[in-house]
Amino acid sequence: MIRYSLVCDKGHAFDSWFADSAAYDKQAKRKLVTCPHCGSAKVDKAIMAPRLASAKKDQAPIEAPPAETPAAAPAAAPTTPVAMISPQERELRAKLKELREHLTKNADNVGAKFPEQARKMHYGEIEHRSIYGEATPDEAKRLAEEGIEFHPLPVLPEDRN
Ligand SMILES: [Zn+2]
Protein backbone atom coordinates (compact mmCIF):
# COMPACT_ATOMS: atom_id res chain seq x y z
CA MET A 1 0.00 0.00 0.00
CA ILE A 2 1.08 3.52 -0.69
CA ARG A 3 -0.33 6.71 0.77
CA TYR A 4 -0.57 9.82 -1.35
CA SER A 5 -1.20 13.35 -0.18
CA LEU A 6 -3.65 14.69 -2.72
CA VAL A 7 -5.14 18.07 -3.46
CA CYS A 8 -8.25 18.86 -5.51
CA ASP A 9 -8.73 21.78 -7.92
CA LYS A 10 -10.45 23.69 -5.12
CA GLY A 11 -7.42 23.35 -2.88
CA HIS A 12 -8.74 20.70 -0.45
CA ALA A 13 -5.93 18.51 0.80
CA PHE A 14 -6.56 14.90 1.73
CA ASP A 15 -4.77 11.57 1.98
CA SER A 16 -5.66 8.42 0.09
CA TRP A 17 -4.29 4.90 0.01
CA PHE A 18 -3.52 2.96 -3.17
CA ALA A 19 -2.18 -0.52 -3.86
CA ASP A 20 0.75 1.04 -5.71
CA SER A 21 1.59 4.08 -7.81
CA ALA A 22 0.21 2.40 -10.95
CA ALA A 23 -3.13 1.89 -9.20
CA TYR A 24 -3.23 5.59 -8.39
CA ASP A 25 -2.45 6.53 -11.99
CA LYS A 26 -5.17 4.21 -13.31
CA GLN A 27 -7.83 5.43 -10.89
CA ALA A 28 -6.94 9.08 -11.35
CA LYS A 29 -7.13 8.68 -15.14
CA ARG A 30 -10.62 7.18 -14.87
CA LYS A 31 -11.67 10.01 -12.51
CA LEU A 32 -12.22 7.51 -9.70
CA VAL A 33 -10.14 9.52 -7.26
CA THR A 34 -12.42 12.19 -5.86
CA CYS A 35 -12.08 14.84 -3.20
CA PRO A 36 -13.93 13.79 0.00
CA HIS A 37 -14.73 17.43 0.69
CA CYS A 38 -16.30 18.53 -2.58
CA GLY A 39 -16.39 15.46 -4.79
CA SER A 40 -14.16 16.98 -7.45
CA ALA A 41 -12.40 14.40 -9.61
CA LYS A 42 -9.73 16.93 -10.57
CA VAL A 43 -7.20 15.81 -8.05
CA ASP A 44 -3.45 15.91 -8.13
CA LYS A 45 -0.67 14.66 -5.97
CA ALA A 46 0.20 17.40 -3.51
CA ILE A 47 3.66 18.79 -3.94
CA MET A 48 5.56 17.64 -0.92
CA ALA A 49 7.93 20.12 0.64
CA PRO A 50 11.43 18.68 0.47
CA ARG A 51 12.10 18.74 4.17
CA LEU A 52 15.71 17.73 4.12
CA ALA A 53 16.85 19.81 1.19
CA SER A 54 18.08 22.84 3.08
CA ALA A 55 19.45 20.94 6.04
CA LYS A 56 21.59 18.63 3.98
CA LYS A 57 22.90 21.20 1.52
CA ASP A 58 26.41 22.32 2.14
CA GLN A 59 25.79 26.02 1.69
CA ALA A 60 28.23 28.73 2.59
CA PRO A 61 27.05 30.39 5.79
CA ILE A 62 25.25 33.66 5.21
CA GLU A 63 27.52 36.50 6.17
CA ALA A 64 26.63 38.61 9.15
CA PRO A 65 25.00 41.90 8.14
CA PRO A 66 27.36 44.88 7.95
CA ALA A 67 27.52 47.07 11.01
CA GLU A 68 25.54 49.96 9.52
CA THR A 69 22.43 47.81 9.05
CA PRO A 70 19.86 49.05 11.55
CA ALA A 71 18.93 46.55 14.22
CA ALA A 72 15.84 44.54 13.46
CA ALA A 73 12.69 46.31 14.59
CA PRO A 74 11.25 44.82 17.75
CA ALA A 75 8.35 42.47 17.16
CA ALA A 76 5.12 44.42 16.91
CA ALA A 77 3.07 44.26 20.07
CA PRO A 78 -0.56 43.19 19.71
CA THR A 79 -2.73 46.21 19.01
CA THR A 80 -6.29 47.28 19.71
CA PRO A 81 -8.29 49.19 17.11
CA VAL A 82 -8.68 52.78 18.27
CA ALA A 83 -10.10 55.92 16.70
CA MET A 84 -9.98 59.65 17.17
CA ILE A 85 -13.25 61.21 16.16
CA SER A 86 -12.79 64.37 14.10
CA PRO A 87 -15.24 67.31 14.27
CA GLN A 88 -16.53 66.28 10.82
CA GLU A 89 -17.18 62.81 12.15
CA ARG A 90 -19.10 64.22 15.11
CA GLU A 91 -21.18 66.32 12.73
CA LEU A 92 -21.90 63.30 10.55
CA ARG A 93 -22.99 61.32 13.57
CA ALA A 94 -25.30 64.13 14.62
CA LYS A 95 -26.77 64.18 11.09
CA LEU A 96 -27.26 60.42 11.13
CA LYS A 97 -29.05 60.71 14.43
CA GLU A 98 -31.24 63.47 13.04
CA LEU A 99 -32.06 61.40 9.97
CA ARG A 100 -32.90 58.39 12.07
CA GLU A 101 -35.12 60.44 14.36
CA HIS A 102 -36.84 62.04 11.38
CA LEU A 103 -37.40 58.67 9.75
CA THR A 104 -38.74 57.02 12.86
CA LYS A 105 -41.00 59.99 13.61
CA ASN A 106 -42.48 60.18 10.14
CA ALA A 107 -42.70 56.57 9.17
CA ASP A 108 -44.77 53.68 10.48
CA ASN A 109 -42.92 51.08 12.45
CA VAL A 110 -44.12 47.82 10.92
CA GLY A 111 -41.50 45.74 12.70
CA ALA A 112 -41.02 42.27 11.33
CA LYS A 113 -43.77 42.87 8.76
CA PHE A 114 -41.44 45.16 6.84
CA PRO A 115 -40.65 42.73 3.99
CA GLU A 116 -44.35 41.89 3.52
CA GLN A 117 -45.44 45.55 3.66
CA ALA A 118 -42.66 46.72 1.35
CA ARG A 119 -43.55 44.00 -1.14
CA LYS A 120 -47.28 44.91 -1.06
CA MET A 121 -46.42 48.55 -1.70
CA HIS A 122 -44.08 47.63 -4.50
CA TYR A 123 -46.76 45.60 -6.25
CA GLY A 124 -49.43 48.25 -5.65
CA GLU A 125 -51.50 46.16 -3.26
CA ILE A 126 -51.43 48.89 -0.64
CA GLU A 127 -50.77 52.65 -0.74
CA HIS A 128 -47.22 53.90 -0.64
CA ARG A 129 -46.16 55.35 2.66
CA SER A 130 -43.00 55.63 4.71
CA ILE A 131 -42.41 52.57 6.79
CA TYR A 132 -39.56 51.12 8.70
CA GLY A 133 -39.02 47.85 10.42
CA GLU A 134 -36.84 44.83 10.40
CA ALA A 135 -35.71 42.45 7.73
CA THR A 136 -33.34 39.56 8.04
CA PRO A 137 -30.34 39.64 5.68
CA ASP A 138 -32.10 36.91 3.67
CA GLU A 139 -35.31 38.90 3.35
CA ALA A 140 -33.39 42.07 2.51
CA LYS A 141 -31.61 40.17 -0.25
CA ARG A 142 -34.89 38.88 -1.66
CA LEU A 143 -36.44 42.35 -1.60
CA ALA A 144 -33.44 43.75 -3.44
CA GLU A 145 -33.66 40.93 -6.00
CA GLU A 146 -37.31 41.82 -6.63
CA GLY A 147 -36.24 45.39 -7.33
CA ILE A 148 -37.86 46.78 -4.19
CA GLU A 149 -36.05 49.89 -3.10
CA PHE A 150 -35.35 50.26 0.59
CA HIS A 151 -32.60 51.69 2.71
CA PRO A 152 -30.92 50.48 5.82
CA LEU A 153 -31.86 52.59 8.78
CA PRO A 154 -28.72 54.27 10.11
CA VAL A 155 -27.68 52.64 13.34
CA LEU A 156 -25.54 54.65 15.69
CA PRO A 157 -23.00 52.84 17.82
CA GLU A 158 -24.62 54.01 21.05
CA ASP A 159 -27.90 52.41 19.96
CA ARG A 160 -26.36 48.99 20.23
CA ASN A 161 -26.26 47.94 23.81
ZN1 LIG B 1 -12.24 19.45 -2.95
Side-chain angles (χ1 to χ4, degrees), residues 8 10 12 35 37-38 40:
C8 82
K10 299 211 172 59
H12 303 128
C35 169
H37 304 285
C38 69
S40 171

mmCIF file of all heavy atoms in Angstrom, residues 8 10 12 35 37-38 40, ligand 1:
data_model
loop_
_atom_site.group_PDB
_atom_site.id
_atom_site.type_symbol
_atom_site.label_atom_id
_atom_site.label_comp_id
_atom_site.label_asym_id
_atom_site.label_seq_id
_atom_site.Cartn_x
_atom_site.Cartn_y
_atom_site.Cartn_z
ATOM 1 N N CYS A 8 -7.305 18.705 -4.408
ATOM 2 C CA CYS A 8 -8.250 18.859 -5.510
ATOM 3 C C CYS A 8 -8.107 20.246 -6.126
ATOM 4 O O CYS A 8 -7.356 21.076 -5.632
ATOM 5 C CB CYS A 8 -9.690 18.640 -5.035
ATOM 6 S SG CYS A 8 -10.443 20.080 -4.261
ATOM 7 N N LYS A 10 -9.967 22.612 -5.980
ATOM 8 C CA LYS A 10 -10.454 23.690 -5.116
ATOM 9 C C LYS A 10 -9.523 23.901 -3.934
ATOM 10 O O LYS A 10 -9.798 24.702 -3.052
ATOM 11 C CB LYS A 10 -11.860 23.384 -4.633
ATOM 12 C CG LYS A 10 -12.821 23.259 -5.789
ATOM 13 C CD LYS A 10 -14.216 23.710 -5.408
ATOM 14 C CE LYS A 10 -15.122 23.759 -6.614
ATOM 15 N NZ LYS A 10 -15.228 22.459 -7.273
ATOM 16 N N HIS A 12 -8.564 21.551 -1.632
ATOM 17 C CA HIS A 12 -8.735 20.701 -0.452
ATOM 18 C C HIS A 12 -7.628 19.650 -0.447
ATOM 19 O O HIS A 12 -7.405 18.986 -1.442
ATOM 20 C CB HIS A 12 -10.099 19.991 -0.484
ATOM 21 C CG HIS A 12 -11.263 20.930 -0.571
ATOM 22 N ND1 HIS A 12 -12.248 20.807 -1.510
ATOM 23 C CD2 HIS A 12 -11.561 22.015 0.168
ATOM 24 C CE1 HIS A 12 -13.129 21.781 -1.332
ATOM 25 N NE2 HIS A 12 -12.730 22.530 -0.340
ATOM 26 N N CYS A 35 -12.302 14.107 -4.445
ATOM 27 C CA CYS A 35 -12.082 14.841 -3.205
ATOM 28 C C CYS A 35 -13.204 14.518 -2.215
ATOM 29 O O CYS A 35 -14.373 14.628 -2.550
ATOM 30 C CB CYS A 35 -12.049 16.341 -3.504
ATOM 31 S SG CYS A 35 -12.086 17.358 -2.033
ATOM 32 N N HIS A 37 -14.098 16.201 0.212
ATOM 33 C CA HIS A 37 -14.726 17.435 0.690
ATOM 34 C C HIS A 37 -15.739 17.968 -0.308
ATOM 35 O O HIS A 37 -16.799 18.423 0.061
ATOM 36 C CB HIS A 37 -13.665 18.498 0.984
ATOM 37 C CG HIS A 37 -12.634 18.046 1.954
ATOM 38 N ND1 HIS A 37 -12.879 17.932 3.300
ATOM 39 C CD2 HIS A 37 -11.358 17.633 1.770
ATOM 40 C CE1 HIS A 37 -11.785 17.480 3.900
ATOM 41 N NE2 HIS A 37 -10.852 17.293 2.991
ATOM 42 N N CYS A 38 -15.406 17.933 -1.594
ATOM 43 C CA CYS A 38 -16.302 18.531 -2.579
ATOM 44 C C CYS A 38 -16.635 17.598 -3.729
ATOM 45 O O CYS A 38 -17.422 17.942 -4.597
ATOM 46 C CB CYS A 38 -15.713 19.844 -3.109
ATOM 47 S SG CYS A 38 -14.247 19.602 -4.125
ATOM 48 N N SER A 40 -14.845 16.693 -6.200
ATOM 49 C CA SER A 40 -14.164 16.977 -7.454
ATOM 50 C C SER A 40 -13.251 15.818 -7.846
ATOM 51 O O SER A 40 -12.582 15.220 -7.007
ATOM 52 C CB SER A 40 -13.336 18.250 -7.314
ATOM 53 O OG SER A 40 -12.517 18.415 -8.453
HETATM 54 ZN ZN ZN B 1 -12.236 19.454 -2.946
#
